[in-house]
């Protein structure tokens, strides 16, 4: 008969989950094997029982973990603030820019511009009238430019 | 945090390069109970276990970009948890000695603090589990006298039932070292069982 099981053999057997072969023929080692396995099993059971907590405990833990992640919440918050601000800016630009809406500038009186011999004062007066004529201030430079271009076109046509 | 997480990533059965921020709620949900249990078993202090569980996930979150998927998420979290336990025990020990030197306290206080590390929680135990509880205590008495790493190996193997290879990765040691620690731990438990119940009584149990 083989000598009694040593620590390493018991450890190996515990890891494998099967008793050492010697246990079958030795009452002393069988008793020890059962006591060892039983005690370690009780240890595991107690560890699991002691760590049992109600659902509210785990929920609170998660909430606490979340609240202690400052970088993440701040980044997300900033991201949202930035996105909202950007959206508002775009919306405001779309709303107030006349080019982007149905509000069209008043047509420039081209008939007057086609008159061949207008002096500078008369032309300025026409421009003033056209500018004052319900054109939003944002469009004033555009209207002025359009009028200048028309005048230049007419002048060149006359010269030819 | 999103619900579109791949279950394999959370369970740690797939290799990933870093962990997405959105994965974290699911990771906490999946692993929090196991991590808390491990910390509680190693520290026997519910408050410390609760705090360190949070610390564990926060540290994992901070280091999520360094996760390379070489180990499972579970093993990676275990590694972090064990390191937190070591830090905690080190700080507690330093605090203990500081307390002794500052107050010039008696040996009674010293032994009281030492014992509190090994005493079971005062949770109510069902009467039918008294024997099992007594056995568990006997095992814990033996385990508490082991070195920190031997105790970690024993708990990871016999309480958390982790495979040897994963224990080796979590503790950053070889499988041979894990086996050696386990052998010593089993020897200590055998010895404690004999001391507590006696050689003959043990054979009759
Ligand atoms: Zn024998």
């Amino acid at each position: 008969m083989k000598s009694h099981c040593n620590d390493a053999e018991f450890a190996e057997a515990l890891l494998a989950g099967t008793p050492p072969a010697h246990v079958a023929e030795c009452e002393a080692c069988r008793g020890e094997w059962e006591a060892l396995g039983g005690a370690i099993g009780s240890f595991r059971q107690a560890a699991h029982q002691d760590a049992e907590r109600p659902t509210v405990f785990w929920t609170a833990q998660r909430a606490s973990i979340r609240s202690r992640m400052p970088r993440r919440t701040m980044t997300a918050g900033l991201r949202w603030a930035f996105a909202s601000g950007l959206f508002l800016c775009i919306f405001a630009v779309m709303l107030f820019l006349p080019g982007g809406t149905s509000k069209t500038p008043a047509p420039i009186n081209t008939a007057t511009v086609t008159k061949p011999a207008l002096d500078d004062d008369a032309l300025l007066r026409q421009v003033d009238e056209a500018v004052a004529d319900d054109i939003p201030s944002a469009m004033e430079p555009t209207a002025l430019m359009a009028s200048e271009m028309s005048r230049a076109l007419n002048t060149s046509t006359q010269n030819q | 945090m999103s619900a579109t997480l791949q279950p394999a990533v959370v369970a740690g059965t797939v290799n990933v390069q870093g962990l997405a921020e959105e994965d974290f709620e699911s990771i906490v949900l999946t692993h929090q109970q196991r991590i808390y249990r491990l910390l509680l078993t190693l520290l026997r202090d519910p408050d410390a276990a609760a705090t360190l569980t949070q610390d564990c996930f926060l540290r994992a979150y901070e280091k999520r970009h360094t996760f390379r998927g070489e180990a499972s998420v579970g093993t990676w979290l275990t590694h972090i948890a064990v390191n937190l336990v070591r830090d905690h025990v080190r700080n507690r020990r330093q605090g203990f000695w500081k307390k002794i030197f500052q107050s010039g306290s008696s040996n009674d206080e010293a032994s009281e603090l030492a014992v509190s590390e090994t005493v079971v929680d005062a949770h109510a135990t069902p009467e039918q589990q008294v024997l099992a509880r007594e056995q568990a205590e006997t095992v814990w008495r033996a385990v508490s006298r082991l070195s920190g790493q031997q105790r970690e190996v024993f708990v990871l193997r016999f309480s958390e039932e982790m495979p040897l290879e994963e224990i080796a990765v979590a503790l950053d040691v070889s499988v041979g070292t894990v086996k050696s620690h386990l052998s010593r731990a089993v020897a200590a438990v055998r010895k404690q069982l004999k001391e507590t119940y006696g050689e003959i009584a043990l054979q009759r149990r």
Side-chain angles (χ1 to χ4, degrees):
Chain A
M1 189 168 115
K2 174 193 172 295
S3 59
H4 292 312
C5 294
N6 60 30
D7 295 325
E9 284 167 328
F10 274 123
E12 280 288 330
L14 281 168
L15 289 177
T18 48
H22 168 73
V23 158
E25 56 194 43
C26 175
E27 200 183 338
C29 287
R30 186 162 56 248
E32 208 175 341
W33 165 254
E34 283 166 5
L36 198 58
I40 289 173
S42 297
F43 175 78
R44 176 168 49 243
Q45 195 186 13
H48 284 237
Q49 274 174 0
D50 288 348
E52 277 171 16
R53 294 289 180 273
T55 311
V56 68
F57 173 85
W58 306 115
T59 311
Q61 277 271 304
R62 287 197 299 280
S64 191
I65 291 166
R66 219 178 289 125
S67 73
R68 288 176 64 193
M69 287 178 174
R71 212 170 66 82
R72 185 192 174 274
T73 46
M74 224 169 104
T75 312
L78 281 174
R79 217 182 288 144
W80 274 107
F82 179 74
S84 313
L86 191 71
F87 174 76
L88 279 174
C89 282
I90 292 169
F91 183 72
V93 166
M94 296 278 282
L95 195 71
F96 293 113
L97 248 186
T101 67
S102 58
K103 195 180 173 188
T104 50
I108 296 163
N109 192 350
T110 47
T112 52
V113 201
T114 50
K115 280 182 184 168
L118 269 177
D119 59 26
D120 287 351
D121 286 344
L123 184 68
L124 276 172
R125 240 179 282 117
Q126 277 188 0
V127 168
D128 283 345
E129 280 166 19
V131 164
D133 194 7
D134 200 29
I135 295 176
S137 60
M139 284 302 287
E140 280 174 9
T142 318
L144 199 63
M145 201 169 71
S147 129
E148 283 290 331
M149 283 169 72
S150 302
R151 195 165 69 91
L153 191 70
N154 280 322
T155 314
S156 69
T157 319
Q158 278 178 344
N159 290 345
Q160 279 169 7
Chain B
M1 299 187 191
S2 82
T4 57
L5 180 72
Q6 302 165 41
V9 173
V10 178
T13 54
V14 74
N15 281 0
V16 287
Q17 292 287 309
L19 288 168
E21 193 176 312
E22 294 77 26
D23 294 351
F24 252 79
E25 182 87 22
S26 305
I27 286 171
V28 175
L29 197 65
T30 306
H31 297 278
Q32 67 176 156
Q33 297 193 23
R34 190 182 62 80
I35 293 297
Y36 174 77
R37 186 176 60 228
L38 170 64
L39 291 165
L40 184 64
T41 311
L42 287 171
L43 293 168
R44 319 221 84 191
D45 177 344
D47 291 339
T51 306
L52 292 188
T53 300
Q54 293 177 22
D55 292 350
C56 177
F57 288 105
L58 287 166
R59 196 173 280 189
Y61 177 78
E62 282 163 15
K63 296 184 167 196
R64 66 192 183 280
H65 302 299
T66 66
F67 179 75
R68 290 286 167 265
E70 285 149 5
S72 71
V73 174
T75 305
W76 182 59
L77 289 169
T78 302
H79 176 79
I80 295 171
V82 166
N83 281 333
L84 285 167
V85 166
R86 290 173 184 176
D87 290 348
H88 180 82
V89 169
R90 202 177 300 127
N91 292 339
R92 191 166 61 177
R93 207 173 286 145
Q94 281 170 357
F96 164 69
W97 287 115
K98 210 171 158 186
K99 195 180 161 193
I100 294 292
F101 286 124
Q102 278 175 352
S103 64
S105 65
S106 66
N107 285 338
D108 287 348
E109 272 184 88
S111 57
E112 190 188 332
L113 195 62
V115 165
S116 75
E117 292 179 17
T118 60
V119 163
V120 195
D121 297 338
H123 291 305
T125 317
E127 219 171 67
Q128 67 270 26
Q129 289 185 347
V130 166
L131 178 66
R133 184 59 67 165
E134 193 185 296
Q135 285 180 325
E137 248 341 272
T138 306
V139 173
W140 178 251
R141 261 201 303 282
V143 169
S144 67
R145 289 183 193 136
L146 296 170
S147 75
Q149 201 171 63
Q150 286 169 354
R151 183 163 54 243
E152 287 157 13
V153 167
F154 184 86
V155 169
L156 289 176
R157 177 61 202 146
F158 292 121
S159 175
E160 295 307 314
E161 300 180 276
M162 275 173 73
L164 298 187
E165 293 76 16
E166 276 186 38
I167 296 173
V169 172
L171 301 185
D172 216 8
V173 294
S174 69
V175 173
T177 303
V178 171
K179 281 186 176 177
S180 156
H181 284 336
L182 279 174
S183 184
R184 277 168 197 260
V186 167
V189 172
R190 271 183 84 191
K191 191 166 171 271
Q192 187 66 53
L193 285 170
K194 280 176 189 169
E195 278 175 19
T196 307
Y197 301 110
E199 197 100 33
I200 296 162
L202 195 67
Q203 285 163 17
R204 283 206 201 114
R205 284 174 84 90

